[in-house]
Each structure stands twice: as structure tokens, then as C-alpha cells.
Amino acid sequence: MLLFITMYFSIVYWHIIITRMLVKNEKTIEYMSIELSEQEVIRRNSLAEMKKLGINPYPADLYEVNAKTCDILEQYPKDNTLFQEVSIAGRMMSRRIMGAASFVELQDSHGRIQLYIKRDEICEGEDKTLYNTVFKRLTDIGDIIGVKGFVFVTQMGEISIHVKEFTVLSKSLRPLPIVKEKDGVVYDAFTDPEQRYRMRYVDLIVNPQVRDTFVKRSLIVNTMRNYFNEQGYLEVETPVLQPIPGGAAARPFITHHNSLDIDLYLRIANELYLKRLIVGGFEGVYEFSRNFRNEGMDRTHNPEFTCMEIYVAYKDYNWMMTFTENMLERIATTLHGKSTVKIGNNEIDFKPPFRRLPMLQAIKEATGVDISGMDEAQLRETCTKLGVEIDETMGKGKLIDAIFGEKCEHNLIQPTFIIDYPIEMSPLCKRHRNNPELTERFELFVNGKELANAYSELNDPIDQLGRFQEQLRLSEKGDDEAMFIDMDFVRALEYGMPPTSGMGIGIDRLTMFMTGEQSIQDVLLFPQMRPERKAKVSSDEDFKALGVAEAWIPMLRKLGFNTVESLKDANANKLYNDLNGLRKKNKFDIPAVKKEEVDAWIAQQ
């Protein structure tokens, strides 16, 4: 009982401390989680007790690690003379205490392994505090520990580490959502997407398979980088803050530079800067860039994303299609050992060659309508007949794009190059060598989604300026995604840019396809989220204004009444009984609350 009373007042103590930190003389504040749970209070008390014993729960000393769980589990069965002086660190994920000996499951960044901890092994002398007090009472699941010992096989046949030294490296103050499994059935899994994306650090701890997705993402990027470097192309960096957001049709984020007193934009693309480098004489340049577009969010779009763009002099879009096919096949085989990848219910084969389908032909195949040669009015009429949603700000390019997006994209499951786009859709692309109404452009579609976009780049400065001016007309018409005019880029082209092909590919979407994930949030370590919904808490003075005695305020909070407004929905009889039940159970030396008092609190709401 004494322990329970101590624990209760510890909760009250921590509650008061945190409330004072947060309230700061305001009557009502927003907070994320003001009341500590019983487990959190216990862990804080354990932390304080460790410090009293002279143990630093967060030591600064280097802890030498000489082994990984994966290496031990793979190599020890082949040679049991290995790992006889192991030093390893990780998070304690489970434990079974059996008197003077215990078993612990340790998780490092490579997997999990069992530890065997014996009291007399880690406490050689008379003092058994390290085992009896520190390990058994003051450590918890989730704590990060370091151990030294030797590897052996238990009688049950499990490879384990026999611990000779035990060190606390980081005390965990919040309990993990421990996943349990019995007879192949998983219980209490940490699967809520909102929580997983918001607290990715917890997701990575308790769902090890999530880490595999991001290991593969890194492998995808490195495979691409190696592929480009083998060709002799140079990796570069271009500005994130740009005076003119060029290179794509998208709504930018805007910020302000105080020293220069100018507005700047977060880049929507790095295309125009990379092409300036081709003007400067580089044969081939590429960049993995973080781009920002102030647009909608869904399962395949995030306002902040990674894009790889590459530009190679003296090439055209036909060469780039072959280059892209070979790159994607290499990525698939590096990750999976074969060219096929399972995406949802579809088996996608990245074995070249991919189909090459002109855009206007794709629209005709899907709708039966030939839109080639149509003017803007005819395109609007066609959209209406086909049931494609449009608005008055759309020019020819966006009208065609709307038809294609609505009627064609979802049918393109196997890798398909959609080629030869109408000129209105591609302000930075070279006119087609055989048809001046079209451009030498392709987009690669996989599983019904765009994956890559590429051009034979426009290097005629006069034509480029005219295209920019057309974009300005669309902007004045109300299109807030129309491109800005970048006169410095036009000036660069006037110095002469060689024939060039460029290609951009979204790394987030590529990772989705190559790992079989269905949502972009699953391949971003920290996806953009709406602000976390915050609860409100009323100050003690607010409760006192209702006539609530100070001694009852912590107990009201314990029952979940953190605001005076929350009392209005309370059941007076239940609240009366619950409060006096707490008083009686914990033998608090305060007068019992009266029913008419509780009625009065609620009546004032």
C-alpha cells in the first residue's frame, strides 16, 4: 500500500511540475500529453534511483562494439570458435527473469539475439546490486544496454550471448508498444498509419521490416549513382533557394531573405540550373535533389520529395529511353535478383525493351477520338463529351493532359514510354524533328502512374523565350502552375547549349514500385503530416473557480477531466462515486466530496 501511495504522489508531483512548465500563467493551454502514465512515472523513479546508486543512465563514454547480431547468427553455426570476446549494444526488447538468471532479447540495427545473464557472472563479488536492483528492478523493455561476453548455444538450440559485463547506455522513459506473437498470430501490432508516420522512430523499433524498405531505398539510389558514374557523368549540387522557380509547372513555396530583402522560392525542380552546367561545358551532370511543390497530398504525392535529374550532351530522347530501360532493369535485379517486381496484384517486368506509344495515339486507343489538330475550343468540347473535368484557366496543354490523365494513365500497367507530346504541354522541350506541333518528349508510366519524364532539350533561345511568354499568358489567365520566365536561362542558351537529352525520375515513387509499397508515406522516413491534434488543459485556478477543492483537482485529472469544459458531460453520480472510491482505496486523509458539490461543478458548465 505504501508503494501505491508513493506512486500516486509521484504522479501528482510530475503532473504539477509539467503543468507549471506549460501553463506559464495562461488560463488554458494546448499540450500534447501532460499527464504521465503510471509506467512513465515508474521509469522516471527508476532513473532517479539509478543516479542515486552512482550509475549514469546516459553515459558519454565510447562503447566499443565489435560484432553485429546478423554476423553472429550467420557465422557462429559454421565456426563455433568465433565471437568468444563479444562486445555488442542494442535495445532490450523482451526478458524473462528466473531468479539468479535471466534471458533477454537484444535488438541492434541488424537483428535480434538472445542474451543469457547470470547474477554471479555480472556481479563477481558480494555486492549483487547490479543484477538484483539495477537489472531486475530499474531497467525496462526499451532500454539501450551494452553487454560483453561470449557466444554459445543453449540447451534449446538457440544461439545466445553469455553475458560477463552489463552496462546501461540509455534509459527509456516511455514504454514501447510491444508486439506479441503466439501460434503465428500477432497481437498489439503497431500498425496505425497516423502513429507510424508521426512517430517513425517507434515504427522502426517495433516493426523491423520497415527498416528494410529504407535500406532498399538507399540501395536504389546507390545503384543509380554507380550507373551514372560508370558513364563518366558528374554529380553536382544546385540551389534550393531560387529567385525564379523554374523547370516545372507547379505552385512553389515562397520565403523571404531578410539580409537581401528579397522573396525566394523553394525549388520545384533543378532542371534549368543543370542545363546551365551543360552550357558551361560539362558532358553529363546529375543531381539527387530535394524539391518542394505547394500542391495536394495523397498516396502518391508529398509536398517535399526527392527527384533525380540527369542531362547528357549530344544525346536525344531515343537514346535516353534506352538508357532509362537499362537503368531500371539494373535496379530491379540488384534488389530482387530478377527483372520482375510485384506491385499490388500486378507483376511488373522491367526487362527491356518497353513499349513506345505516341500520346495522341494513346488517347485515340482509349477514347476513339483523334484530337490531333484540335484548337482550344474543340478540346474543351471534347472534354465535355468525354466527361473530363476542366476549368476556364486551362489552355490546350492542360486540356490534353486532363484527357490523357482521365482516360489513359490507369491502363498503362507494364512499363510504357508515352512519347511525342503536343508542344503546348512541354515548354522546355525541343520540337519534334518530323512534326513541329509535337515535341521530342517521353514519360514513362508503370502500374498506372508516371515514373520518369524526359526530353530532347530545347536549346533554341528564341523558341525558348517564346514558350516562356506563352506560359506568362497562361499565368495571367489564372493558371497558378504556369512557368515563370527565367531570362538568365534564356541568356545562357544564347551562349549556345549543345544538343542535350535530360531525364527526371521521382525517387519516392521509384522506391514504391521497387519495394511494392502502396503509399508514398511508406517510403518517406518523415512524411509531411497535419499538425498533431492537441488536447487542452485547464489550470488549477479554473477548477477552483468552480468550487473544486485543490486536493480533488489531481484526482479529477487522474479520471480524465483535464478541462473544466469536460465536466459538463460528466455523469454526476458516477463522478461522485469514482472520486470517493479513489479516496477510500488510497486512504487519503481528506474529507469525502459531497454529491451536491459535484452537482454544482457540473451545473456551472
Side-chain angles (χ1 to χ4, degrees):
M1 181 60 69
L2 181 61
L3 177 63
F4 187 87
I5 293 173
T6 302
M7 185 185 303
Y8 176 80
F9 281 105
S10 292
I11 293 173
V12 173
Y13 167 77
W14 282 105
H15 164 75
I16 292 171
I17 293 297
I18 294 176
T19 300
R20 284 177 178 173
M21 290 168 59
L22 294 173
V23 170
K24 296 181 179 176
N25 298 322
E26 294 180 16
K27 283 211 165 187
T28 304
I29 62 157
E30 291 189 337
Y31 75 114
M32 289 176 59
S33 177
I34 189 168
E35 183 142 354
L36 297 176
S37 68
E38 183 177 312
Q39 268 291 317
E40 289 172 311
V41 170
I42 290 172
R43 289 177 181 233
R44 280 165 172 74
N45 289 338
S46 296
L47 177 73
E49 220 174 314
M50 279 188 188
K51 291 180 178 179
K52 286 180 183 178
L53 291 171
I55 296 172
N56 182 356
Y58 307 104
D61 317 54
L62 177 147
Y63 192 85
E64 193 71 52
V65 172
N66 63 14
K68 303 172 184 175
T69 53
C70 59
D71 292 338
I72 295 172
L73 296 174
E74 179 184 346
Q75 297 175 27
Y76 185 78
K78 302 171 186 176
D79 185 351
N80 59 17
T81 66
L82 299 173
F83 307 111
Q84 295 309 289
E85 292 186 2
V86 167
S87 179
I88 194 168
R91 196 178 294 272
M92 192 160 57
M93 298 303 292
S94 69
R95 64 177 179 177
R96 302 192 311 277
I97 297 176
M98 303 181 304
S102 300
F103 287 97
V104 169
E105 188 177 35
L106 182 83
Q107 176 175 286
D108 67 5
S109 59
H110 302 276
R112 296 187 181 188
I113 195 167
Q114 180 172 272
L115 309 179
Y116 173 65
I117 302 178
K118 196 173 181 181
R119 181 187 61 198
D120 295 337
E121 295 277 359
I122 66 170
C123 305
E124 293 183 347
E126 294 296 321
D127 186 359
K128 307 299 182 185
T129 303
L130 182 62
Y131 182 84
N132 291 339
T133 303
V134 177
F135 171 71
K136 288 176 67 174
R137 285 187 46 240
L138 304 182
T139 60
D140 296 282
I141 304 302
D143 288 358
I144 297 173
I145 61 174
V147 297
K148 296 180 181 179
F150 60 89
V151 178
F152 75 110
V153 179
T154 66
Q155 292 181 351
M156 300 299 293
E158 185 165 356
I159 296 172
S160 306
I161 299 175
H162 188 120
V163 176
K164 305 290 284 186
E165 293 182 30
F166 171 87
T167 306
V168 176
L169 299 177
S170 183
K171 178 66 187 163
S172 171
L173 298 183
R174 286 179 179 263
L176 290 171
I178 297 298
V179 180
K180 307 178 187 70
E181 186 173 345
K182 184 177 180 181
D183 300 327
V185 179
V186 175
Y187 300 90
D188 300 325
F190 188 62
T191 56
D192 178 65
E194 171 86 8
Q195 294 301 312
R196 286 185 54 237
Y197 304 149
R198 197 177 295 283
M199 296 191 293
R200 181 68 84 187
Y201 39 88
V202 177
D203 188 31
L204 293 168
I205 293 170
V206 301
N207 294 321
Q209 71 279 5
V210 172
R211 273 180 275 167
D212 184 57
T213 296
F214 295 100
V215 170
K216 288 179 177 176
R217 179 184 174 116
S218 179
L219 185 56
I220 288 168
V221 171
N222 286 333
T223 301
M224 295 173 72
R225 182 175 279 118
N226 292 337
Y227 181 68
F228 301 149
N229 291 344
E230 288 169 9
Q231 318 296 320
Y233 305 140
L234 182 69
E235 183 170 10
V236 298
E237 293 179 320
T238 61
V240 173
L241 291 174
Q242 302 179 351
I244 296 175
R251 185 185 302 120
F253 288 95
I254 188 170
T255 186
H256 187 78
H257 191 289
N258 291 332
S259 295
L260 296 177
D261 193 25
I262 59 171
D263 286 341
L264 292 170
Y265 301 87
L266 295 183
R267 70 178 167 204
I268 57 176
N270 55 352
E271 175 173 344
L272 302 188
Y273 285 90
L274 292 175
K275 287 197 280 194
R276 284 173 169 94
L277 297 179
I278 297 296
V279 171
F282 288 107
E283 177 189 355
V285 291
Y286 70 92
E287 180 179 16
F288 291 90
S289 67
R290 202 71 173 164
N291 294 345
F292 308 84
R293 297 183 182 179
N294 198 354
E295 299 170 343
M297 295 169 57
D298 56 33
R299 293 175 66 85
T300 58
H301 293 88
N302 195 65
E304 177 181 358
F305 62 97
T306 302
C307 185
M308 188 291 305
E309 292 199 33
I310 183 169
Y311 293 84
V312 185
Y314 310 110
K315 309 296 183 186
D316 66 3
Y317 78 139
N318 293 308
W319 176 90
M320 187 62 79
M321 278 187 262
T322 302
F323 183 81
T324 303
E325 288 172 337
N326 293 334
M327 178 190 71
L328 292 173
E329 182 187 27
R330 180 186 286 200
I331 292 170
T333 54
T334 299
L335 261 64
H336 306 290
K338 56 183 180 180
S339 63
T340 56
V341 178
K342 186 79 171 176
I343 305 178
N345 296 324
N346 298 319
E347 179 118 336
I348 309 298
D349 193 352
F350 286 98
K351 183 77 174 175
F354 304 163
R355 187 187 183 196
R356 303 183 182 191
L357 178 63
M359 171 172 263
L360 299 184
Q361 183 182 330
I363 291 174
K364 186 174 181 180
E365 285 183 6
T367 67
V369 179
D370 184 357
I371 66 169
S372 58
M374 286 188 178
D375 59 22
E376 187 173 316
Q378 291 170 317
L379 285 170
R380 287 185 178 279
E381 184 180 346
T382 300
C383 286
T384 302
K385 290 178 180 178
L386 294 174
V388 176
E389 187 175 341
I390 58 173
D391 62 57
E392 65 279 359
T393 69
M394 290 177 158
K396 283 184 65 175
K398 284 210 167 184
L399 293 170
I400 296 169
D401 192 37
I403 296 171
F404 178 79
E406 180 73 25
K407 301 299 181 182
C408 304
E409 282 191 21
H410 60 278
N411 296 320
L412 303 172
I413 304 302
Q414 293 302 321
T416 304
F417 289 119
I418 297 297
I419 64 173
D420 301 346
Y421 281 56
I423 195 166
E424 294 83 2
M425 298 181 67
S426 310
L428 299 170
C429 187
K430 183 172 287 189
R431 291 178 188 268
H432 198 283
R433 65 197 72 179
N434 298 321
N435 184 345
E437 297 300 312
L438 303 177
T439 57
E440 296 198 349
R441 174 186 179 186
F442 74 76
E443 285 187 301
L444 175 63
F445 286 85
V446 177
N447 202 45
K449 296 291 181 181
E450 176 206 340
L451 178 58
N453 186 22
Y455 309 151
S456 291
E457 300 296 336
L458 179 59
N459 60 346
D460 178 343
I462 297 174
D463 191 358
Q464 180 64 84
L465 179 59
R467 308 270 195 97
F468 276 150
Q469 290 170 338
E470 173 61 17
Q471 289 290 301
L472 179 62
R473 186 188 70 81
L474 292 174
S475 177
E476 292 170 347
K477 190 177 177 180
D479 186 346
D480 59 3
E481 292 185 350
M483 286 190 188
F484 289 58
I485 295 182
D486 187 337
M487 291 305 299
D488 179 70
F489 176 67
V490 175
R491 178 170 60 187
L493 291 184
E494 289 174 345
Y495 282 96
M497 185 176 85
T500 298
S501 182
M503 184 266 291
I505 188 165
I507 299 301
D508 308 321
R509 194 169 292 179
L510 175 61
T511 304
M512 286 175 61
F513 291 159
M514 289 295 176
T515 60
E517 297 290 353
Q518 299 299 304
S519 170
I520 194 171
Q521 286 82 7
D522 288 318
V523 299
L524 297 173
L525 280 168
F526 301 103
Q528 191 63 244
M529 304 286 290
R530 292 184 184 278
E532 190 167 1
R533 190 174 180 180
K534 299 176 182 178
K536 289 184 177 180
V537 60
S538 298
S539 70
D540 288 359
E541 296 304 316
D542 292 327
F543 283 103
K544 290 177 184 177
L546 299 180
V548 180
E550 186 171 3
W552 289 109
I553 295 173
M555 284 187 257
L556 280 172
R557 297 193 195 280
K558 183 68 178 173
L559 293 173
F561 297 98
N562 287 310
T563 65
V564 292
E565 291 82 7
S566 62
L567 286 172
K568 69 180 179 182
D569 296 321
N571 181 297
N573 288 325
K574 185 176 186 305
L575 181 56
Y576 165 74
N577 291 325
D578 287 347
L579 287 172
N580 284 319
L582 271 175
R583 171 184 171 275
K584 183 177 180 180
K585 181 178 179 180
N586 298 302
K587 298 183 179 180
F588 293 137
D589 187 20
I590 55 176
V593 70
K594 297 178 181 178
K595 174 65 164 52
E596 52 267 30
E597 290 181 274
V598 177
D599 289 338
W601 302 345
I602 295 173
Q604 294 183 62
Q605 298 307 305

